[in-house]
Amino acid sequence: MTVLVTGGNAGIGYFVAEQLAEAGAEVVLGSRDAAKAEVAVRVLRERVPDARVSWARLDLADLASVKGIEVGELDAVVLNAGVYLDGPERRETKDGHEMTFGVNHLGHFALTAALGDRLKPEARIVTMGSFAAKSAKLDFEDLQSKRDYRPKTAYERSKLAQTLFALELDRRLRAAGSSRLSVVAHPGGALDSLTPDRPPLHVRNRKLSLARIALQGKDDGARPAVRAAVGPDVHSGQIWGPRMFGLKGAPRPEPVRGPYADPEAAARLWAASVELTGVEPGFS
Ligand SMILES: NC(=O)c1ccc[n+]([C@@H]2O[C@H](COP(=O)([O-])OP(=O)(O)OC[C@H]3O[C@@H](n4cnc5c(N)ncnc54)[C@H](OP(=O)(O)O)[C@@H]3O)[C@@H](O)[C@H]2O)c1
């Protein structure tokens, strides 16, 4: 079993990779930074001595890099990498797309297209959503936040776009009679300050945090995605998140409702994404 984890060099993505390796999967870390990827590979091998782990160059802010990704056949891909910018200035990807929408949604949309039949017939495509998407609404007149850029809104909308993409992909896979699965996972609230050390990749801020009552570390935040990628009783079109108020705890499926249950918006977003990236996910 081989799994590609985008953003596997840090944060939740690293722990997704570590837990998959512990479960015996071969993991490929998708990373835009060779030095960071090599540190992550080394740390993971220290934790899981018999791990089969490598990395592949992947910059989701550059569609040429996405299209050229060098990986073999995959049993699953975890579309985990993400940016949350906090500065007030609007930034763009190499292709001129707003950075948050471009990396989180368009980059992963194009990656799914680029992987194509390298995703095996029963492969699982796991998209990392967020509780932040629940209160978002897409603005189809301004998908790229050209008129009105606010970093928090751009992030929330990008995570809603990712979730709608995954659910639309599920509908398209079913309509085509495919056995591939498209599943959403989200980590709840996962803080660095509650995350165990993996030096030099991550060293915890030692301050005691009351946040642990309601939130969790990135190790536990990784569990819904790991369950969705390789666990039992997972079905295409599901959303997996943490049990306690969707913020912490063991993974469980959640109802698909609110802004997620909007096939019309999902189809419109799909068409816009094809236009913006010039590619369309599909399998023979
Ligand atoms: N933490 C939470 O509470 C939380 C809650 C809800 C959802 N999420 C979602 O969970 C995912 C992981 O979050 P996290 O907290 O682990 O974030 P993180 O620690 O900031 O890690 C983000 C990862 O994405 C990678 N990345 C960023 N831009 C990239 C690009 N252009 N190309 C390739 N990789 C890129 C980063 O690589 P570099 O190291 O090179 O920057 C890093 O590996 C994200 O999708 C996030 O939206 C997180």
Side-chain angles (χ1 to χ4, degrees), residues 177-231:
S178 173
S179 307
R180 296 179 179 89
L181 277 61
S182 173
V183 184
V184 180
H186 77 91
L191 303 183
D192 281 321
S193 60
L194 299 179
T195 302
D197 288 351
R198 291 292 183 271
L201 193 73
H202 165 71
V203 180
R204 188 177 357 195
N205 169 348
R206 292 286 168 195
K207 267 191 259 164
L208 282 179
S209 171
L210 276 178
R212 76 174 65 247
I213 297 166
L215 307 175
Q216 57 190 356
K218 293 195 174 182
D219 52 336
D220 286 330
R223 297 192 192 285
V226 172
R227 173 64 182 260
V230 297

Side-chain angles (χ1 to χ4, degrees), residues 12 69 196 200 215 274:
I12 294 166
I69 188 166
L215 307 175
V274 172

Side-chain angles (χ1 to χ4, degrees), residues 7 9 12 32 36 58-60 80 82 130 155 159 188 190 218:
N9 64 278
I12 294 166
R32 59 179 166 169
K36 284 187 186 176
L58 172 70
D59 183 354
L60 289 157
N80 158 82
S130 169
Y155 175 75
K159 300 311 286 184
K218 293 195 174 182

Side-chain angles (χ1 to χ4, degrees), residues 49-206:
D50 54 355
R52 290 170 298 149
V53 53
S54 59
W55 73 277
R57 191 173 296 280
L58 172 70
D59 183 354
L60 289 157
D62 175 1
L63 291 178
S65 159
V66 171
K67 290 170 187 170
I69 188 166
E70 290 180 17
V71 288
E73 290 205 317
L74 299 170
D75 296 274
V77 58
V78 181
L79 306 175
N80 158 82
V83 281
Y84 186 152
L85 303 173
D86 43 18
E89 75 286 357
R90 181 180 176 282
R91 292 173 48 198
E92 292 190 346
T93 66
K94 222 170 169 186
D95 309 276
H97 300 130
E98 187 280 312
M99 185 64 78
T100 314
F101 182 68
V103 167
N104 298 1
H105 170 58
L106 293 177
H108 282 129
F109 183 89
L111 176 63
T112 307
L115 292 175
D117 286 343
R118 282 181 282 181
L119 288 160
K120 289 184 190 171
E122 308 221 327
R124 299 186 188 184
I125 301 145
V126 178
T127 297
M128 195 66 94
S130 169
F131 59 84
K134 277 188 185 164
S135 47
K137 190 172 185 310
L138 296 186
D139 178 356
F140 282 99
E141 305 310 315
D142 192 22
L143 275 179
Q144 305 263 20
S145 308
K146 281 186 180 151
R147 281 206 304 256
D148 177 20
Y149 176 73
R150 279 165 292 152
K152 181 169 173 285
T153 308
Y155 175 75
E156 290 167 351
R157 286 180 174 165
S158 76
K159 300 311 286 184
L160 175 57
Q162 287 188 265
T163 303
L164 290 174
F165 154 68
L167 297 173
E168 178 67 13
L169 180 60
D170 161 59
R171 284 186 284 273
R172 286 171 184 252
L173 290 170
R174 301 287 69 74
S178 173
S179 307
R180 296 179 179 89
L181 277 61
S182 173
V183 184
V184 180
H186 77 91
L191 303 183
D192 281 321
S193 60
L194 299 179
T195 302
D197 288 351
R198 291 292 183 271
L201 193 73
H202 165 71
V203 180
R204 188 177 357 195
N205 169 348
R206 292 286 168 195

